[in-house]
């Protein structure tokens, strides 16, 4: 079936999914136009160990990606597609990544046997007739073949063939494994295109910040999955009365390119949000709450028998008769909603969406933020000395793992640019591309690193986060304007305590000290870890990276061989 993306077609698919139990309708009074989907219990997150880059040369995938040759990949996975769609309908889903009519948008076509995938792609991309119109008579599109197969993790593979610009995915119906426009195309395949063509495909939110003067800044921020990109993108300013306002351009992916004015310009290739549900509440993210108040597909949240959805963090009153994410009566001990349960919703429904979110040329970027989830070591915020140092900071960022991918949660891993699971080629060559881009952008954005997740000795978060993160953004803007007090530390510029507007926050003096502290011993311990990480890349690692590490070691006054 060729999908045209129309309302009528969508309704037909929804009706079929209601009939076969793929979806259930939520209470129309509290969640109008919204549905619940329960995925297979073994198919609840991206599976990085089953995700492969199938470049001809192993070296082109690099040491951080799983690799198979194109020949081996096809030989191994083609049999899993054999008769996989038997008894199901095959849907042909043309889609556009990027605003319709934008010269930077790209067309994909996903073939799938999952109606749920079609319904999600309709929200997450510009899908159907507009995509065929954009393709016109051309033949430039990224083909993606998808089947849920038998949903067994033993017969699950997500393959990318960068030289052919082709995607094969079998055995999963979940998120980035199955909605091929998102991570597979807009990050893994797009990053390989971007490298060739002189632009960048990044795992970044894009936000708009308006100052009382009327001055507007756009900021990109890269955090690993489930580290608060959606919350930051939809931040409600606690200083709105004073004229500081934040709006949303995108929450997960940015396509960036140097503009004719020498600045870096960003487009959000997506049309919707596929956000983590737990932790989303009226206090943490009121804009997301309003966005998902209607016409939303929920996957793996808890629900009452009457169809009222619930999740940890929605409020403090779980309904008495709640069914957990698998549909079993909730025992009130474990999690009711799966920690990686998601909402799929159109970006246009977001009250904070920027009027410029679909601008064909994108928006000009003033600052790039990198960040991770770290209980210790990384201070609340620091500024890189310059572009190349910023690339080093981003390339070496560490973050504790989350439920967004299958595997152990809470272990620190190096996640360069939050792209570890999403870079379609050798990560060391990707560092080189970042360095090269620095020379192609006459007015590069300032680069910062943040850590909202610093804890005290008793494991309590020191920083209130969420809306209060605005205060950190304002310091960044002051730095860009040549103001903003800072002290130079071995890792970068850290705000002086009085340079951050902390009015009304009631943070103790010692909390502020810890938050802004750069502990020399902790950072000295990072050096050999970073060196070991770099060693994995051998000859592909740009010399600038080692030089930056040596310079850091020197500033920490340890010997380069430490
Ligand atoms: O890849 S997903 O789209 O499932 C979500 C994420 O990990 O960012
Ligand atoms: Mn993501």
């Amino acid at each position: 079936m060729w999908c045209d993306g129309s309302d009528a077609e969508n309704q037909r698919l929804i009706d079929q999914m209601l009939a076969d139990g793929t979806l259930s309708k939520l209470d129309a009074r509290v969640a109008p136009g919204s549905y619940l989907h329960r995925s297979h219990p073994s198919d609840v997150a991206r599976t990085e160990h089953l995700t492969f880059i199938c470049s001809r040369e192993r070296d082109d995938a690099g040491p951080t990606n799983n690799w198979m040759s194109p020949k081996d990949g096809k030989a191994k996975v083609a049999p899993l597609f054999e008769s996989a769609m038997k008894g199901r309908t095959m849907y042909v889903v043309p889609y556009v990544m990027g605003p319709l009519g934008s010269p930077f948008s790209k067309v994909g076509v996903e073939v799938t046997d999952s109606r749920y995938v079609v319904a999600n792609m309709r929200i997450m991309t510009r899908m159907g007739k507009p995509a065929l119109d954009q393709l016109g008579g051309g033949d430039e599109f990224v083909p993606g073949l998808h089947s849920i197969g038998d949903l067994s993790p033993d017969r699950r593979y997500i393959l990318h063939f960068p030289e052919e610009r082709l995607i094969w995915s079998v055995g999963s119906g979940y998120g980035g494994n199955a909605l091929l426009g998102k991570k597979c195309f807009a990050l893994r395949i797009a990053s390989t295109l971007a490298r060739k063509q002189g632009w960048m495909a990044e795992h970044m939110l894009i936000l708009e910040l308006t100052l009382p003067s009327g001055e507007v800044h756009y900021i990109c921020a890269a955090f690993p999955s489930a580290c608060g990109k959606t919350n930051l993108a939809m931040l409600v300013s606690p200083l709105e009365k004073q004229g500081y306002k934040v709006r949303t351009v995108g929450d997960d992916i940015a396509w960036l390119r140097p503009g004719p004015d020498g600045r870096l310009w960003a487009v959000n290739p997506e049309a919707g949000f596929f956000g983590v549900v737990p932790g989303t509440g009226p206090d943490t993210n009121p804009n997301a709450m309003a966005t998902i108040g209607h016409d939303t597909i929920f996957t793996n949240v808890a629900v009452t028998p009457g169809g009222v959805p619930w999740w940890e963090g929605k409020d403090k009153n779980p309904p008495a008769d709640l069914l957990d994410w698998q549909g079993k009566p909730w025992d009130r001990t474990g999690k009711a909603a799966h920690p990686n349960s998601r909402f799929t919703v159109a970006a246009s429904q977001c009250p904070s969406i920027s009027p410029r979110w679909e601008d064909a040329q994108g928006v000009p970027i003033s600052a790039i933020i990198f960040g991770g989830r770290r209980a210790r070591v990384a201070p609340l915020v620091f500024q890189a000395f310059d572009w190349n140092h910023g690339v080093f900071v981003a390339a070496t960022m560490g973050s504790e793992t989350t439920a967004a991918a299958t595997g152990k949660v809470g272990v620190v891993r190096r996640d360069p640019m939050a792209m570890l699971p999403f870079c379609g080629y050798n990560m060391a060559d990707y560092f080189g591309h970042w360095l090269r881009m620095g020379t192609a952008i006459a007015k590069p954005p300032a680069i910062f690193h943040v850590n909202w997740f610093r804890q005290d000795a008793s494991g309590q978060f020191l920083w209130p986060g969420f809306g209060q993160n605005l205060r950190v953004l304002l310091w960044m803007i002051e730095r860009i304007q040549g103001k903003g007090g800072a002290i130079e530390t071995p890792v970068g510029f850290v705000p002086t305590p009085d340079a951050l507007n902390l009015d009304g926050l009631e943070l103790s003096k010692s909390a502020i000290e810890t938050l802004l502290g750069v502990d020399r011993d902790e950072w000295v311990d990072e050096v050999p870890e970073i060196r070991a990480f770099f060693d994995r890349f051998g000859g592909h690692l740009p010399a600038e990276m080692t030089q930056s590490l040596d310079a850091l070691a020197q500033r920490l006054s340890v010997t380069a061989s430490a």
Side-chain angles (χ1 to χ4, degrees):
M1 193 188 116
W2 283 77
C3 294
D4 62 15
S6 65
D7 289 343
E9 171 187 278
N10 186 52
Q11 197 52 57
R12 251 191 341 265
L13 294 175
I14 299 259
D15 289 344
Q16 289 165 358
M17 286 191 278
L18 290 171
D20 74 6
T22 305
L23 290 184
S24 53
K25 199 165 170 46
L26 293 175
D27 184 330
R29 285 161 308 179
V30 294
S34 300
Y35 302 91
L36 170 69
H37 171 68
R38 291 192 186 110
S39 74
H40 190 277
S42 68
D43 186 30
V44 293
R46 279 182 296 103
T47 37
E48 293 176 5
H49 61 294
L50 303 173
T51 302
F52 287 77
I53 301 299
C54 300
S55 48
R56 278 191 292 270
E57 302 294 328
R58 174 188 282 260
D59 231 22
D60 289 335
T64 59
N65 280 312
N66 301 310
W67 176 82
M68 278 191 265
S69 74
K71 201 163 147 270
D72 289 353
K74 285 182 181 171
K76 193 169 187 99
V77 175
L80 305 178
F81 278 108
E82 195 87 30
S83 303
M85 296 184 178
K86 200 167 176 181
R88 301 183 192 136
T89 303
M90 184 175 93
Y91 300 93
V92 181
V93 183
Y95 62 94
V96 178
M97 298 312 290
L100 292 177
S102 163
F104 310 108
S105 293
K106 301 203 177 296
V107 177
V109 180
E110 175 166 356
V111 166
T112 179
D113 55 1
S114 162
R115 294 185 184 102
Y116 166 81
V117 164
V118 178
N120 276 268
M121 287 294 285
R122 181 170 177 273
I123 297 173
M124 294 305 297
T125 71
R126 284 88 176 170
M127 185 270 262
K129 187 170 180 305
L132 289 182
D133 291 347
Q134 176 130 345
L135 189 59
D139 59 1
E140 210 178 290
F141 63 90
V142 170
L145 175 58
H146 173 253
S147 170
I148 53 176
D150 63 4
L151 288 176
S152 163
D154 298 332
R155 283 174 292 283
R156 178 180 303 163
Y157 286 97
I158 299 98
L159 305 187
H160 307 72
F161 303 90
E163 286 109 358
E164 276 179 84
R165 300 177 184 174
L166 169 70
I167 304 158
W168 280 15
S169 167
V170 65
S172 167
Y174 206 88
N177 285 348
L179 313 178
L180 301 187
K182 196 174 178 57
K183 309 298 187 180
C184 299
F185 181 172
L187 287 176
R188 297 194 192 96
I189 296 291
S191 63
T192 66
L193 290 174
R195 178 191 180 203
K196 281 204 192 80
Q197 300 169 354
W199 54 284
M200 307 160 93
E202 299 297 331
H203 192 205
M204 292 176 175
L205 68 90
I206 311 164
L207 69 80
E208 176 189 288
L209 174 57
T210 307
L211 307 181
S213 63
E215 194 176 317
V216 180
H217 288 274
Y218 292 90
I219 299 175
C220 282
F223 304 128
S225 303
C227 287
K229 280 198 301 299
T230 305
N231 289 341
L232 185 61
M234 297 183 190
L235 179 152
V236 173
S237 163
L239 306 177
E240 188 137 358
K241 279 202 191 73
Q242 295 164 50
Y244 297 97
K245 181 155 180 67
V246 172
R247 290 199 189 92
T248 312
V249 178
D251 84 327
D252 195 42
I253 300 177
W255 283 357
L256 302 152
R257 57 161 225 297
D261 62 353
R263 291 190 290 177
L264 189 65
W265 290 68
V267 161
N268 170 14
E270 299 191 281
F273 305 126
F274 184 69
V276 180
V277 183
T280 306
D283 299 326
T284 58
N285 194 337
N287 280 322
M289 288 301 281
T291 310
I292 64 179
H294 62 102
D295 297 292
T296 299
I297 299 175
F298 290 92
T299 303
N300 291 344
V301 298
V303 70
T304 67
V308 176
W310 193 85
W311 53 86
E312 281 73 15
K314 182 188 186 192
D315 53 49
K316 294 207 164 58
N317 315 303
D321 49 355
L322 201 61
L323 304 172
D324 71 11
W325 63 276
Q326 296 191 65
K328 302 183 187 119
W330 183 40
D331 62 8
R332 306 187 88 79
T333 53
K335 301 279 188 207
H338 188 278
N340 193 40
S341 53
R342 297 273 171 164
F343 54 73
T344 319
V345 69
S348 58
Q349 286 186 197
C350 180
S352 63
I353 199 77
S354 159
R356 291 187 63 181
W357 83 282
E358 294 188 285
D359 271 18
Q361 296 296 320
V363 293
I365 300 303
S366 302
I368 298 178
I369 305 174
F370 293 98
R373 186 186 274 276
R374 293 209 68 177
R376 299 176 323 117
V377 187
L380 177 64
V381 58
F382 63 90
Q383 181 183 9
F385 299 122
D386 55 28
W387 179 271
N388 278 12
H389 179 236
V391 175
F392 169 76
V393 167
T396 57
M397 72 196 224
S399 191
E400 293 150 18
T401 50
T402 69
T406 313
K408 207 162 179 283
V409 168
V411 275
V412 176
R413 69 171 182 183
R414 298 282 147 200
D415 189 348
M417 286 80 169
M419 282 287 279
L420 185 70
F422 306 123
C423 185
Y425 60 101
N426 189 314
M427 196 117 222
D429 297 337
Y430 169 77
F431 301 156
H433 181 54
W434 264 86
L435 293 168
R436 250 190 329 277
M437 289 301 296
T439 63
I441 311 163
K443 297 177 205 149
I447 297 181
F448 298 88
H449 185 281
V450 301
N451 175 23
W452 315 133
F453 301 95
R454 185 111 176 195
Q455 297 175 11
D456 65 15
S458 66
Q460 297 291 313
F461 288 113
L462 285 163
W463 178 248
F466 304 108
Q468 305 302 346
N469 293 335
L470 176 76
R471 297 163 189 273
V472 176
L473 302 184
L474 295 184
W475 177 75
M476 295 175 183
I477 299 300
E478 289 195 345
R479 293 292 296 168
I480 292 164
Q481 294 169 332
K483 303 180 280 187
I487 43 167
E488 188 175 335
T489 76
V491 302
F493 295 112
V494 174
T496 53
D498 58 345
L500 279 179
N501 174 352
L502 301 175
D503 289 353
L505 277 194
E506 289 172 28
L507 286 175
S508 72
K509 202 158 168 281
S510 81
I512 297 170
E513 260 165 35
T514 313
L515 277 167
L516 299 180
V518 173
D519 184 293
R520 189 186 157 279
D521 292 342
E522 281 179 348
W523 280 94
V524 165
D525 291 344
E526 291 276 293
V527 172
E529 273 182 41
I530 294 170
R531 207 174 291 283
F533 180 63
F534 279 176
D535 280 347
R536 296 177 61 191
F537 298 104
H540 280 257
L541 190 76
E544 289 90 336
M545 290 286 126
T546 331
Q547 284 156 11
S548 290
L549 178 58
D550 291 341
L552 171 65
Q554 200 146 48
R555 287 194 297 273
L556 292 162
S557 45
V558 294
T559 57
S561 59

